[in-house]
Amino acid sequence: QVQLAESGGGLVQAGGSLRLSCAASGRPFSSYAMGWFRQAPGKEREFVAAISRSGGRSGYSDSVKGRFTISRDNPKNTVNLQMDSLKPEDTAIYYCAADRKSLSSTYVSDPAEYDYWGQGTQVTVSS
């Protein structure tokens, strides 16, 4: 089992940047593919980005591609989401999640495939 805790959310103006971090504790961090998801009020949770166990592969939703960057530091048990050129439509609660089933060089975008979730951190982008 792994415990996840997000940090770094806040209020930022459109065009600004934020860096989210997710700290993991428990089983070896490199055992999990990691993902970031978000949920806006009245909407379903949606995929944002994911990264494979080693960090060698990553993927993004079309809505954030080219603006967000996911990275991980396995010795430090952290996964980060650098968010640039933020838009008001990026406003949501952001969650990190861990997937214990993915093969070492893969990741998935379906939230139902993730086994562990953090509590979330609020990101608000003002226009």
Side-chain angles (χ1 to χ4, degrees):
Q1 191 170 356
V2 65
Q3 293 77 44
L4 303 172
E6 303 94 337
S7 62
L11 173 64
V12 64
Q13 289 188 333
S17 298
L18 281 174
R19 183 177 177 86
L20 304 183
S21 292
C22 175
S25 60
R27 282 187 60 184
F29 185 59
S30 58
S31 300
Y32 301 92
M34 298 297 296
W36 283 97
F37 296 80
R38 66 187 182 186
Q39 188 166 18
K43 295 187 177 181
E44 293 187 354
R45 191 167 296 189
E46 66 172 355
F47 171 73
V48 175
I51 191 165
S52 62
R53 294 181 181 184
S54 67
R57 291 191 64 193
S58 59
Y60 302 88
S61 67
D62 289 342
S63 62
V64 307
K65 195 173 297 182
R67 300 188 297 120
F68 291 12
T69 304
I70 188 171
S71 62
R72 67 187 297 161
D73 186 335
N74 284 348
K76 294 184 178 179
N77 291 355
T78 58
V79 60
N80 303 303
L81 186 68
Q82 177 66 39
M83 305 187 296
D84 299 318
S85 302
L86 283 161
K87 304 175 181 180
E89 51 263 44
D90 294 318
T91 295
I93 299 174
Y94 283 71
Y95 300 88
C96 70
D99 168 22
R100 63 183 177 179
K101 301 179 292 297
S102 288
L103 300 177
S104 61
S105 61
T106 65
Y107 59 86
V108 294
S109 60
D110 182 354
E113 295 297 321
Y114 284 76
D115 303 288
Y116 304 104
W117 292 82
Q119 293 299 306
T121 185
Q122 176 71 48
V123 172
T124 303
V125 184
S126 63
S127 57

